Amino acid sequence: MVPNIRDLVDYVENNDWAFAQGHRLCPGCNAPMVANWATLAAKSLGYEPVVGVATGCLEVSTSIFPYTSWNVPYIHNAFENVAATISGVESAYRSLRNRKKIDNDKIKFIAIGGDGGTYDIGLQSLSGAIERGHDFVYILYDNEGYMNTGNQRSGSTPPGADSTTEPLGKASSGKLQLKKSIVDIIAGHEGVYAATAVTSEPWDFMKKMQEALEFPGPAFIAVLAPCVRFWRIPDDSGVEVTKLAVETKYWPLWQYNMGVYKVTKKPKTFKPVKEYITKLGRYNKLMKRPDANEIIEELQNYVNAKWDRLLELEEITKDKPIRTKI
């Protein structure tokens, strides 16, 4: 069972945090919330996390020598190889356990990366680690761009969003391509647990984190985690924005577990995606175009179709897990 709120409060009051204060992330950044909740979930459930973090905002701001915000075993990896590193450590641990040199079965391996190190630069090592079946949890804090180096577009940057590596000029409407559907890509590896989460739904995230930790193999959670600096939103609005992302179908909450899809939050009513877009300053260039409403209508049709597809996948895969052993 996921610990209740009282249990979590008791744990926090009586134990050291795995992810401590004193980091240098921007005020309002949602990435530390993701790291904090992931490690809190692991430790409060009795696990001992070993964490690897890919180069990016979270790494740069939490482990600048000689300081660190990590109170657990921690590995800094290059942009492209956090999944390879954590899979190597997991293999060494498994070997030591098999040879009776370690008898601790509560150690869990957690890799954390941003969208640049996950959607793009690190996708190959992540895919390989998942295909090999390593027992680890990969947490993606998705701020939809290379924010550590100044808001360059990534495979996660959504259409219409501004970045420093998009065409310039008054006719430009931001990024032209669709956002890469990373959780579908991970689910395509079949023998895996994959899910989405947001910072406005901590309990949904905790439940998924428990399932990921207890899944006997690779698990992946993509968490929408706004960069307030380059999303052009107030410092205190990141959580509110992710709530709106769910309510507009922009970021549905769902999971994939061995072939079975499940939507974990179904709002009774939905808001138009335009309401989400107009909250973010990164879409200002798009909104100034004379055909802005036509483009937003296309985006609305896109998120509607994605939502309907999810509901259909949930229905047709209900209680039909795939085989895992030959």
Side-chain angles (χ1 to χ4, degrees), residues 248-284:
T248 58
K249 303 179 189 174
Y250 175 79
W251 189 268
L253 296 178
W254 60 282
Q255 65 182 28
Y256 169 95
N257 191 335
M258 300 301 291
V260 178
Y261 288 80
K262 180 181 179 182
V263 180
T264 59
K265 186 176 181 65
K266 298 177 180 177
K268 293 182 179 179
T269 59
F270 288 101
K271 297 177 180 179
V273 74
K274 184 175 182 178
E275 190 169 331
Y276 174 73
I277 288 173
T278 54
K279 280 278 187 182
L280 311 183
R282 68 197 303 215
Y283 289 104
N284 286 348

Side-chain angles (χ1 to χ4, degrees), residues 9-56:
V9 171
D10 288 343
Y11 178 84
V12 170
E13 289 177 347
N14 295 294
N15 294 272
D16 292 331
W17 289 78
F19 182 78
Q21 302 175 18
H23 55 74
R24 306 180 188 190
L25 288 151
C26 298
C29 176
N30 279 205
M33 298 169 64
V34 176
N36 207 343
W37 293 352
T39 51
L40 174 60
K43 294 200 73 172
S44 63
L45 289 165
Y47 296 113
E48 299 176 29
V50 173
V51 177
V53 180
T55 295

Side-chain angles (χ1 to χ4, degrees), residues 182-200:
I182 191 68
V183 184
D184 285 311
I185 292 171
I186 301 303
H189 291 73
E190 302 288 10
V192 67
Y193 174 86
T196 64
V198 288
T199 54
S200 58

